[in-house]
């Protein structure tokens, strides 16, 4: 038997999954790492801890599989996107903690860019709205705020990367500094049309080109790992940001096919084909993947981002302490038939698509002493995840001019049947959960396996995709429309709260 190893480096944990040729999960290992909150609105990770946990779980998953290192034909990487690392090329040590995608410290800088009238130009080039979510202003902040760093960067002594680049650097002992177009397109420094770093944007954010990684195809052998890491040199053959990898793993290869991943946040991508589609509804235009198997065919997607999904359930557990484990939220929410007109807007890190309000903050509205219980709040939290996603898909259907016919779902919270039924109800279309919900890691495995001939092509991948359960909408159309309108009232009350 031969296998592919997928490294799935997420926001709160590092995982490794071994897949066989039938795309079945052979073994899994996972380890959480620390979340660092230096001050309100700031979120950081220790990049050294990310690498240490990712390496350890990879070894653990390989050992659990019972296979030897020589049985692995490829290694694929997928990662939390936008999180920004800057490190010393000589020592391999970060100059500071990584700034996480959720971090809002550069919101004032983004305000200034918008005030300068930069929005249209940046969106035209990058497909992105100006927001602190993306890597460009995070990198600029590190260059400006960490003492001595800018001079070292301009001298070529430092390397910038998103987490994929950081992993590749460590996997190759510092021999390779690379990223793929799906991750590069999340930096606000990458031109979708030229498929290269953009000199005008680098100058705007005062980023020296010397710190940037090479951009390589998402599917293709880019390097081999150091043999000392795993007992053999494994080909690093696939690389994509987590949401693009999940779209690939869901076999969304045709324009109009869409998926939603329910992780820390919710990320909805619709394949729009070989040309980027400019958004009029404040969605993101992003590279889906380039390749596969070395072919330079680029697939583009429209994307909507919900910042707080599984993280909302984490807040119920760790912040409010109304549940002991995340799994309890479904049974608690099911204790009531509705929320009693209570709405939770989980704008703890601002609002993403379609509002893009970095100053919005979390609100809980509609409470009364007579009706509001732990169960109502739990149900409101689940509804918030589904309602935010419904907002995004409404905008997406208008932009792409393709009606959504079904939604493929994955990620940890997709196993919550109540949430998936809510999602079908609020969208008004079927929600389909696959048998393999580890589609993010599977997408990375597929990209790597295609590059090494382990899988033959898109047709084989599509044939391996199998539905586990289909959730049909039950909510009458009038009630659905009224629910979405009431939700928007609640969102308006959350906007702008933290504005200076």
């Amino acid at each position: 038997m031969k296998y592919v190893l997928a490294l799935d480096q997420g926001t709160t944990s590092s995982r490794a999954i071994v897949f066989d040729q039938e795309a079945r999960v052979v073994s899994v290992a996972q380890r959480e790492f620390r979340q660092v909150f230096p001050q309100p609105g700031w979120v950081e990770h220790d990049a050294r801890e990310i690498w240490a946990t990712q390496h350890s779980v990879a070894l653990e998953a390989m050992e659990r599989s019972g296979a030897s290192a020589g049985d692995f034909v490829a290694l694929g990487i997928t990662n939390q996107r936008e999180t920004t690392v800057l490190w010393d090329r000589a020592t391999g040590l970060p100059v500071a903690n990584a700034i996480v995608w959720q971090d809002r410290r550069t919101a004032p800088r983004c305000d200034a860019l918008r005030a300068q009238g930069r929005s249209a130009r940046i969106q035209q080039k990058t497909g992105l709205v100006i927001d602190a979510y993306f890597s460009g202003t995070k990198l600029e902040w590190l260059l400006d705020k960490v003492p001595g760093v800018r001079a070292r960067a301009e001298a070529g002594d430092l390397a910038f990367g998103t987490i994929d680049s950081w992993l590749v650097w460590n996997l190759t002992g510092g021999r390779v500094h690379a990223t793929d177009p799906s991750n590069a397109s999340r930096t606000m420094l990458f031109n979708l049309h030229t498929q290269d770093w953009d000199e005008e944007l680098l100058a705007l954010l005062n980023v020296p080109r010397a710190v940037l990684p090479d951009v390589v195809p998402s599917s293709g052998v880019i390097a081999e790992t150091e043999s000392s890491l795993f007992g053999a040199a494994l080909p690093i053959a696939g690389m994509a940001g987590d949401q693009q990898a999940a779209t690939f793993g869901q076999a969304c290869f045709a324009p109009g096919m869409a998926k939603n991943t329910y992780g820390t946040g919710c990320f909805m991508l619709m394949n729009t084909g070989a040309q980027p589609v400019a958004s009029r509804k404040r969605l993101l235009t992003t590279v889906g993947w380039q390749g596969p198997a070395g072919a330079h065919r680029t697939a583009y997607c429209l994307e909507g981002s919900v910042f707080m999904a599984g993280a909302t359930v984490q807040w119920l557990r760790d912040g409010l302490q109304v549940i002991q484990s995340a799994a309890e939220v479904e049974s608690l929410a099911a204790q009531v038939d509705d929320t009693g007109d209570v709405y939770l807007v989980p704008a703890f890190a601002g609002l993403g698509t379609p509002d893009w309000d970095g100053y919005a903050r979390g609100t809980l509205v509609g409470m009364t002493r007579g009706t509001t219980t732990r169960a109502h709040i739990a149900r409101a939290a689940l509804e918030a995840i589904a309602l935010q996603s419904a907002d995004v898909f409404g905008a997406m259907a208008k932009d792409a001019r393709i009606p959504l016919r079904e939604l493929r779902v994955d990620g940890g919270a997709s196993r919550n049947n109540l949430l998936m039924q809510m999602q079908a109800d609020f969208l008004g279309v079927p929600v389909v959960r696959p048998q393999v919900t580890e589609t993010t890691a599977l997408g990375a495995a597929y990209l790597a396996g295609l590059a090494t001939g382990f899988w033959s092509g898109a047709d084989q991948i599509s044939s391996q995709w199998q539905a586990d359960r289909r959730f049909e909408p039950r909510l009458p159309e009038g009630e659905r429309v009224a629910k979405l309108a009431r939700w928007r009232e609640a969102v308006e009350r959350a906007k702008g709260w933290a504005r200076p």
Side-chain angles (χ1 to χ4, degrees):
M1 293 288 288
K2 296 292 184 181
Y3 305 98
V4 173
L5 175 64
L7 306 185
D8 182 1
Q9 205 299 300
T11 307
T12 58
S13 69
S14 297
R15 297 195 306 156
I17 303 181
V18 175
F19 292 96
D20 66 14
Q21 204 157 15
E22 301 301 316
R24 292 177 299 219
V25 174
V26 176
S27 61
V28 182
Q30 179 170 351
R31 191 159 301 164
E32 291 190 356
F33 53 87
R34 289 181 305 124
Q35 307 294 302
V36 182
F37 306 104
Q39 55 182 277
W42 290 29
V43 189
E44 296 179 354
H45 292 156
D46 182 342
R48 296 168 301 174
E49 190 177 359
I50 286 177
W51 164 241
T53 55
Q54 190 64 78
H55 181 219
S56 67
V57 295
L59 289 170
E60 189 178 336
M62 292 173 73
E63 183 178 352
R64 288 182 179 179
S65 74
S68 66
D71 295 326
F72 288 85
V73 300
L75 180 151
I77 296 170
T78 184
N79 54 283
Q80 55 164 316
R81 304 169 305 169
E82 297 95 20
T83 295
T84 299
V85 189
L86 188 64
W87 68 92
D88 187 297
R89 291 181 183 273
T91 66
L93 295 176
V95 302
N97 276 347
I99 302 179
V100 180
W101 59 271
Q102 298 163 315
D103 189 283
R104 307 306 302 174
R105 75 185 68 182
T106 62
R109 173 62 167 141
C110 293
D111 290 343
L113 290 169
R114 282 189 289 270
Q116 292 167 15
R118 306 286 188 179
S119 296
R121 185 68 167 162
I122 286 175
Q123 184 175 15
Q124 185 270 323
K125 287 193 165 201
T126 68
L128 307 178
V129 300
I130 297 174
D131 195 81
Y133 175 30
F134 305 109
S135 311
T137 57
K138 301 180 195 299
L139 174 56
E140 181 189 40
W141 190 95
L142 286 170
L143 292 170
D144 288 339
K145 301 298 185 183
V146 180
V149 157
R150 181 168 287 283
R152 292 164 65 195
E154 290 171 351
D157 296 337
L158 302 182
F160 151 75
T162 42
I163 296 299
D164 56 315
S165 300
W166 172 244
L167 293 179
V168 168
W169 178 275
N170 283 282
L171 287 164
T172 61
R175 288 181 289 111
V176 178
H177 183 208
T179 189
D180 88 298
S182 73
N183 280 293
S185 70
R186 313 298 297 186
T187 60
M188 222 163 73
L189 301 170
F190 184 77
N191 190 311
L192 286 181
H193 310 284
T194 65
Q195 292 286 299
D196 195 7
W197 304 113
D198 189 274
E199 294 295 342
E200 179 186 357
L201 299 178
L202 296 180
L204 177 64
L205 294 181
N206 201 12
V207 171
R209 195 175 180 112
V211 302
L212 299 174
D214 296 328
V215 182
V216 301
S218 311
S219 181
V221 178
I222 64 166
E224 289 189 336
T225 65
E226 290 286 284
S227 57
S228 59
L229 292 173
F230 302 115
L234 307 184
I236 304 171
M239 191 157 55
D242 51 10
Q243 305 314 318
Q244 291 97 327
T247 310
F248 201 86
Q250 285 275 34
C252 291
F253 300 138
M257 297 184 73
K259 72 87 197 175
N260 195 10
T261 297
Y262 299 80
T264 301
C266 267
F267 298 91
M268 294 131 277
L269 274 76
M270 176 185 282
N271 187 329
T272 60
Q275 298 297 323
V277 172
S279 174
R280 303 176 305 281
K281 299 292 182 182
R282 307 192 80 196
L283 295 165
L284 309 178
T285 304
T286 195
V287 175
W289 49 83
Q290 190 180 86
H296 290 276
R297 184 186 64 79
T298 303
Y300 292 89
C301 295
L302 279 173
E303 174 174 337
S305 308
V306 169
F307 295 155
M308 297 289 291
T312 306
V313 178
Q314 277 186 325
W315 173 73
L316 291 181
R317 182 192 68 190
D318 302 335
L320 289 189
Q321 298 182 347
V322 300
I323 53 175
Q324 297 300 308
S325 70
E328 288 179 33
V329 70
E330 183 174 5
S331 59
L332 179 60
Q335 290 177 12
V336 291
D337 294 331
D338 56 52
T339 65
D341 201 35
V342 170
Y343 287 83
L344 170 66
V345 183
F348 302 107
L351 287 169
T353 314
D355 299 288
W356 292 108
D357 184 347
Y359 298 106
R361 288 296 179 264
T363 59
L364 188 62
V365 298
M367 294 180 290
T368 66
R369 286 194 63 186
T371 61
T372 306
T373 66
R374 292 167 58 244
H376 289 102
I377 293 172
R379 193 174 185 98
L382 291 186
E383 283 197 354
I385 297 169
L387 286 162
Q388 289 176 102
S389 298
D391 278 348
V392 173
F393 276 113
M396 195 169 279
K398 292 174 183 174
D399 262 347
R401 299 180 182 178
I402 305 171
L404 183 68
R405 290 190 164 81
E406 73 170 27
L407 176 66
R408 294 185 172 186
V409 297
D410 54 67
S414 71
R415 291 187 283 271
N416 184 316
N417 292 333
L418 179 58
L419 174 59
M420 293 301 97
Q421 185 59 54
M422 290 175 173
Q423 191 67 84
D425 287 342
F426 299 154
L427 286 175
V429 300
V431 166
V432 187
R433 182 173 62 207
Q435 289 182 1
V436 177
T437 56
E438 301 290 358
T439 53
T440 303
L442 180 57
Y446 275 146
L447 288 165
L450 286 168
T452 55
F454 193 59
W455 288 293
S456 61
D459 288 345
Q460 184 181 4
I461 292 172
S462 295
S463 70
Q464 289 181 342
W465 189 93
Q466 299 291 328
D468 167 60
R469 182 165 172 183
R470 187 178 179 91
F471 298 85
E472 297 287 347
R474 299 174 185 164
L475 195 65
E477 182 64 10
E479 292 182 32
R480 185 179 80 85
V481 171
K483 184 75 176 178
L484 293 175
R486 187 66 163 159
W487 159 252
R488 292 307 304 174
E489 289 184 48
V491 170
E492 288 302 315
R493 284 158 172 78
K495 286 185 177 179
W497 184 261
R499 188 173 296 279

